[in-house]
Amino acid sequence: MRFLLLIVAAVLVWGGATAQQGLFGLEDYSGAELYQRFCSSCHGDSGRGDGPVAATLTVPVPDLTLLYRRYGNRFPADELRESIDGRNLVIAHGPRSMPVWGYEFWWEDGADAAAEETARATITRLLEHIRSIQDI
Ligand code: HEC
């Protein structure tokens, strides 16, 4: 009997996990949640470039709270979108340490035309989050 209960419990846990994978896509995450999930390992919880992975990289991870100041007191949304997406960046700038998120999000969402929209909207929500943490 106890064994049976164990099997039932295992199936419930497994079912819950798969249901979650099916039900929660990128569009279900807020900008802050996306940031925590994909960016904070390097850029840090508060965006200051001090995530646990930053120490393992040979290049410095930029402080995302200083972008407004660094770009002459304006939030450079277009440039940052290009930088996060990464698919249009010229290789001549040298190797990139950050993942190519335009590709990652597109792939994660099924790699079709609809996924292109989701990738764009995902980056828009990330930009809104980064805008909200600017040290002005
Ligand atoms: C593996 C570590 C890593 C992760 C994860 C990461 N980044 Fe980066 N990021 C970097 C590094 C390093 C740079 C500096 C440019 C380079 O070397 O690629 C950078 C640069 C940037 C820039 C350009 C800032 C500037 O100075 O103009 C933005 C914006 C940015 N990241 C946003 C994000 C967002 C949003 C995410 C999550 C979707 C993310 N990063 C995830 C490492 C990371």
Side-chain angles (χ1 to χ4, degrees), residues 3-4 6 11 25 32 37 43 45 47 49 51 62-64 75 78 81 83 86 110-111 113-115 122 125 130-131:
F3 183 59
L4 203 72
L6 214 70
V11 167
R37 178 171 166 194
H43 289 282
D45 283 342
D63 182 336
L64 296 182
F75 186 71
D78 293 342
R81 175 180 291 282
S83 171
T122 301
R125 287 207 301 291
I130 295 173
R131 189 197 293 268

Side-chain angles (χ1 to χ4, degrees), residues 50-118:
D50 56 356
V53 176
T56 70
L57 299 179
T58 50
V59 295
V61 175
D63 182 336
L64 296 182
T65 69
L66 296 179
L67 294 167
Y68 180 86
R69 291 193 196 181
R70 262 188 37 220
Y71 280 80
N73 291 344
R74 71 180 179 94
F75 186 71
D78 293 342
E79 293 95 322
L80 297 183
R81 175 180 291 282
E82 288 296 306
S83 171
I84 296 168
D85 186 305
R87 287 177 294 182
N88 296 326
L89 292 191
V90 186
I91 306 285
H93 288 311
R96 169 177 160 117
S97 305
M98 177 157 82
V100 179
W101 293 109
Y103 184 71
E104 300 279 334
F105 293 148
W106 174 75
W107 185 254
E108 170 127 356
D109 197 56
D112 56 11
E116 188 57 42
E117 256 325 293
T118 308

Side-chain angles (χ1 to χ4, degrees), residues 25-36:
L26 287 170
E27 57 277 1
D28 299 304
Y29 289 88
S30 70
E33 288 164 346
L34 287 165
Y35 179 84
Q36 284 306 322

